[in-house]
Amino acid sequence: MNRVSRWQIYVPLGLYLLFTLVPFYWMVVFAFRPRGSDSLLPWPVTFDHFEHVWTGMGFSIFFQNSLLVGVASLISTTVIALAGGYALARYDFRGRQAFLVGMLCTQFIPGAMMLIPLFEIFRTLGLVNSLWALVIAETVFQLPLSLILISGFVKNIPVELEQATWVDGCSRLRGFFAVVLPMLRPALVAVGSFAFIHSWNNFLFALMFVNEQDKFTLPVGLAFTIGEFSADFGALAAGGVVAAVPVVLVFAVIQRYLVQGLSAGAVKG
């Protein structure tokens, strides 16, 4: 077997890293350099753009709305996927395979195709122009993949561990919390992080279901920094930094659990 030399690994990775980081570098440059400057470096550093978008353009409210939608979607998706994934892994019921196939098929449906049906449902329920409409929509679209991941992870946990707790007098629920739930931490982190990041970055649902400025999320707020005939690139870049930092921090904290959760959930299905 031929060994791959280091340059064959490092050169493609370096080019990919350069291709990925250059747009972020220019975003940081525009966000921190003074208005009217054409310097290739963000010097002298100014925070005027951040002050403008945070207080003058309402990004503090947009940030709170995005955080509320992201955390609520994370909690709802994780709790429902945990219960459903455990049931799919431990119970053999009629229609189980058909249910799994149906969930997989939903992944091929673009979210844009569901906008009109969802809008009609939310209008009937009185949820149009409500952040809870975004939470419900995000949860529904994140559940299929989350259920499959957690189900695959639970299948990798020997059922004998649970049975041992039943012999000791624990109920199924107590045995689940004592044995299974602690071992599901990587899967829960993976599912929760995907739900949070997807809801944080989602633009289409927030644009269609919310029409009041005080309920905008960050992606919609960023879109409104671009005018019909001009764009404030400094404000746009500063808003992009505000929107990107939480996602980068989430990935930095949970990357180890994320890899474990994805790999374990994909081994056995």
Side-chain angles (χ1 to χ4, degrees):
M1 183 176 178
N2 296 329
R3 296 185 59 184
V4 179
S5 60
R6 291 186 177 181
W7 70 268
Q8 290 177 298
I9 299 176
Y10 293 149
V11 170
L13 288 178
L15 292 175
Y16 175 77
L17 186 64
L18 183 65
F19 178 79
T20 305
L21 292 182
V22 165
F24 287 97
Y25 173 77
W26 278 110
M27 181 176 67
V28 172
V29 169
F30 275 99
F32 285 99
R33 75 183 183 185
R35 188 185 302 272
S37 173
D38 57 358
S39 173
L40 298 180
L41 297 174
W43 189 263
V45 175
T46 179
F47 293 93
D48 293 343
H49 300 305
F50 290 93
E51 182 180 0
H52 174 58
V53 299
W54 191 258
T55 58
M57 301 183 67
F59 268 66
S60 59
I61 299 176
F62 304 158
F63 187 92
Q64 295 175 15
N65 294 337
S66 291
L67 189 62
L68 172 62
V69 173
V71 172
S73 300
L74 182 155
I75 294 173
S76 59
T77 301
T78 303
V79 171
I80 299 174
L82 180 62
Y86 179 84
L88 289 172
R90 288 292 192 252
Y91 294 97
D92 189 11
F93 53 89
R94 181 179 298 178
R96 177 178 173 274
Q97 292 299 325
F99 180 74
L100 286 171
V101 172
M103 286 196 303
L104 287 173
C105 291
T106 61
Q107 300 302 292
F108 298 101
I109 302 176
M113 291 182 60
M114 303 301 296
L115 285 177
I116 295 177
L118 285 175
F119 186 87
E120 287 299 318
I121 293 173
F122 292 145
R123 185 178 63 83
T124 303
L125 297 176
L127 292 177
V128 173
N129 202 36
S130 169
L131 295 179
W132 293 111
L134 304 182
V135 174
I136 295 173
E138 290 291 341
T139 302
V140 169
F141 275 86
Q142 290 297 309
L143 269 179
L145 179 61
S146 302
L147 282 167
I148 294 171
L149 284 176
I150 291 186
S151 174
F153 202 102
V154 172
K155 287 182 178 181
N156 289 327
I157 301 175
V159 69
E160 290 78 12
L161 295 177
E162 288 185 82
Q163 292 173 346
T165 63
W166 304 343
V167 173
D168 292 337
C170 291
S171 63
R172 178 181 284 271
L173 183 61
R174 186 176 178 184
F176 169 80
F177 282 107
V179 175
V180 179
L181 188 60
M183 301 179 69
L184 288 177
R185 182 183 300 174
L188 296 178
V189 171
V191 167
S193 61
F194 274 125
F196 177 82
I197 293 171
H198 188 273
S199 62
W200 182 272
N201 293 328
N202 193 289
F203 171 76
L204 190 59
F205 290 162
L207 180 66
M208 296 301 298
F209 301 146
V210 174
N211 51 41
E212 291 184 4
Q213 186 172 352
D214 61 347
K215 295 180 181 178
F216 283 171
T217 57
L218 282 173
V220 180
L222 283 172
F224 275 82
T225 62
I226 303 176
E228 183 178 359
F229 301 105
S230 63
D232 188 344
F233 291 108
L236 183 62
V241 172
V242 171
V245 166
V247 177
V248 173
L249 293 178
V250 168
F251 265 112
V253 172
I254 56 90
Q255 60 177 341
R256 176 166 58 92
Y257 296 105
L258 185 61
V259 174
Q260 294 177 7
L262 289 176
S263 59
V267 170
K268 188 175 181 181

